[in-house]
Amino acid sequence: MFARYVRTMETGEPTDALIHYDDGRIGGWFRIHASRAGEALLVHFRDVTAEKKAEVTLRDTEAERDRTEVRRMALEALLEHVPAQVAYLRGPDLTYEFVNARYRQNHGHREFLGRTVAEVLPTGATTRWSTRCWRCCGPACPTTTRSTPPPRG
């Protein structure tokens, strides 16, 4: 840092640096800003350790989200070709998150994703099917269940 301070004094160009410092008593990340004021050097230190930790946490979270998305895509690619009807529903309204080719084929190639069972399937079938889903799962049950889909038509 001393060389940067000298350059600031010689050229008048401010110095802005981010450094990690740890002497056993004081440790963390610091932003250092130095500028010349006439014949004096003004140096400002700001502890940015919390900000650096937040950046690392955010980076780790984003990396985990990316890994999860890759796994989700791989699972969906696998389930797309399963020779059975597969649908993933979320929430109390039973909103479609995923349907495979067999499910679309057996239900007239409707638009499913982001829509609820009530919006997509006929009223009578929806009521019977939704009741079975809730009886099996309940609103808070995190398990996957197997249920009979509503009849076509």
Side-chain angles (χ1 to χ4, degrees):
M1 284 302 304
F2 183 74
R4 291 182 182 183
Y5 295 154
V6 170
R7 184 183 54 83
T8 295
M9 287 304 291
E10 290 175 349
T11 67
E13 186 178 320
T15 295
D16 192 32
L18 178 66
I19 64 164
H20 183 261
Y21 179 82
D22 190 349
D23 70 356
R25 294 175 301 134
I26 298 173
W29 287 92
F30 298 90
R31 169 132 348 252
I32 301 171
H33 182 79
S35 58
R36 187 173 75 189
E39 296 297 314
L41 179 67
L42 300 176
V43 181
H44 177 256
F45 294 88
R46 187 167 64 98
D47 185 347
V48 294
T49 305
E51 294 164 19
K52 290 298 283 182
K53 286 180 180 178
E55 285 175 17
V56 169
T57 300
L58 178 61
R59 201 169 28 251
D60 291 347
T61 300
E62 289 173 344
E64 181 59 30
R65 183 200 61 219
D66 293 345
R67 287 188 297 274
T68 299
E69 181 64 14
V70 167
R71 289 190 299 265
R72 185 195 61 79
M73 290 171 56
L75 178 61
E76 283 186 3
L78 175 70
L79 292 175
E80 181 65 29
H81 303 290
V82 168
Q85 296 183 58
V86 178
Y88 176 73
L89 305 166
R90 181 183 302 268
D93 294 331
L94 301 174
T95 301
Y96 284 96
E97 295 271 326
F98 171 82
V99 294
N100 72 349
R102 179 67 62 95
Y103 194 93
R104 286 189 301 276
Q105 177 186 6
N106 288 343
H107 295 285
H109 296 281
R110 296 176 173 108
E111 183 62 40
F112 291 97
L113 301 185
R115 298 176 68 198
T116 66
V117 169
E119 294 172 323
V120 176
L121 300 178
T123 306
T126 300
T127 303
R128 288 188 308 274
W129 197 59
S130 297
T131 301
R132 285 186 196 134
C133 285
W134 281 104
R135 195 177 305 134
C136 291
C137 303
C141 180
T143 61
T144 301
T145 61
R146 185 174 164 188
S147 63
T148 307
R152 283 203 266 163

